[in-house]
Amino acid sequence: QKEVEQDPGPLSVPEGAIVSLNCTYSNSAFQYFMWYRQYSRKGPELLMYTYSSGNKEDGRFTAQVDKSSKYISLFIRDSQPSDSATYLCAMTSTGFQKLVFGTGTRLLVSP
Amino acid sequence: DGGITQSPKYLFRKEGQNVTLSCEQNLNHDAMYWYRQDPGQGLRLIYYSQIVNDFQKGDIAEGYSVSREKKESFPLTVTSAQKNPTAFYLCASSLTSGGFTDTQYFGPGTRLTVL
């Protein structure tokens, strides 16, 4: 079993839809959670960074962490074609433990 | 304009050859990282360096080597000992050497293909 599981997709939605992207993990020590967006043939860019449990909102993006269920989510409101990309989750327990990445979910937003 | 640059964007290698991938940053970051990305797999850490003249192996260091002689540069050499080097290689940096909780900023990547 992988430490971090992420559905590869693709997830296809129409423009304006609310998108939910998710990762599950098995290591209960994880406390730092990140979401990266990666356009095709480009490097990942950080979207959201949360510590421990709870919600964090930034514009159209909301990151949610449920440590009791070992489940994290990224919600995108009013999705746009420019949101079409692969979304990677990443997490770690402490500064001395390497980041563990999910495999990424490919999102396609059609006009 | 601050950022991380990687070169070349595409690289082709014949079997048995060593090749070096360049990574330069002008963000004045202390720490730098090399990852490998393959389809259907998460990013895997090859090497990382928290300070000049020091580096540590990641999860898949076999067949790779690095150096960190300057703060802004962290080149990766893919040696002939790496059995399956075809992949997308990503370099990243973070501000401090405080560890993996620091935000990592990624370069645009180098796609290496073995012919």
Side-chain angles (χ1 to χ4, degrees):
Chain A
Q1 184 190 5
K2 291 182 180 179
E3 267 191 298
V4 177
E5 299 274 3
Q6 190 174 8
D7 188 324
L11 175 62
S12 295
V13 301
E15 183 176 355
I18 297 174
V19 174
S20 172
L21 303 164
N22 311 295
C23 287
T24 58
Y25 61 94
S26 57
N27 187 344
S28 58
F30 286 150
Q31 298 188 79
Y32 299 86
F33 304 93
M34 301 130 196
W35 284 97
Y36 283 87
R37 177 175 63 195
Q38 185 176 24
Y39 291 113
S40 182
R41 302 182 187 274
K42 304 288 186 185
E45 56 177 324
L46 182 69
L47 274 180
M48 301 289 282
Y49 186 165
T50 54
Y51 170 70
S52 196
S53 286
N55 291 2
K56 184 174 182 179
E57 188 173 322
D58 184 1
R60 296 185 295 113
F61 299 92
T62 299
Q64 195 171 78
V65 174
D66 182 350
K67 290 186 71 180
S68 61
S69 302
K70 299 192 187 68
Y71 190 87
I72 68 170
S73 301
L74 178 71
F75 297 97
I76 307 175
R77 290 183 297 281
D78 188 24
S79 56
Q80 302 295 309
S82 58
D83 295 327
S84 298
T86 296
Y87 290 79
L88 307 167
C89 63
M91 50 197 79
T92 185
S93 54
T94 72
F96 302 102
Q97 300 300 315
K98 61 174 175 58
L99 284 180
V100 180
F101 284 84
T103 54
T105 297
R106 187 171 169 220
L107 172 66
L108 301 172
V109 182
S110 54
Chain B
D1 228 7
I4 302 174
T5 57
Q6 290 186 244
S7 61
K9 189 173 181 179
Y10 298 97
L11 185 57
F12 298 91
R13 189 194 96 170
K14 293 182 181 179
E15 286 197 21
Q17 281 183 336
N18 292 355
V19 291
T20 297
L21 283 59
S22 169
C23 178
E24 303 275 333
Q25 54 97 0
N26 61 3
L27 300 168
N28 200 31
H29 284 179
D30 285 334
M32 298 186 74
Y33 313 81
W34 273 105
Y35 289 91
R36 170 179 171 145
Q37 187 174 33
D38 296 281
Q41 298 198 45
L43 273 66
R44 292 182 290 166
L45 184 64
I46 305 172
Y47 268 98
Y48 64 102
S49 168
Q50 294 183 304
I51 198 167
V52 174
N53 292 322
D54 187 48
F55 48 83
Q56 288 79 41
K57 293 181 179 180
D59 296 325
I60 55 165
E62 185 176 350
Y64 300 98
S65 65
V66 293
S67 63
R68 186 89 186 275
E69 297 176 1
K70 297 186 295 182
K71 187 175 184 177
E72 58 270 23
S73 178
F74 191 40
L76 173 74
T77 297
V78 184
T79 75
S80 56
Q82 169 50 235
K83 299 301 180 193
N84 186 20
T86 294
F88 190 48
Y89 290 86
L90 288 159
C91 178
S93 69
S94 62
L95 180 60
T96 72
S97 54
F100 290 92
T101 53
D102 279 353
T103 298
Q104 293 186 22
Y105 297 87
F106 285 84
T110 292
R111 184 163 298 278
L112 172 63
T113 302
V114 173
L115 303 173

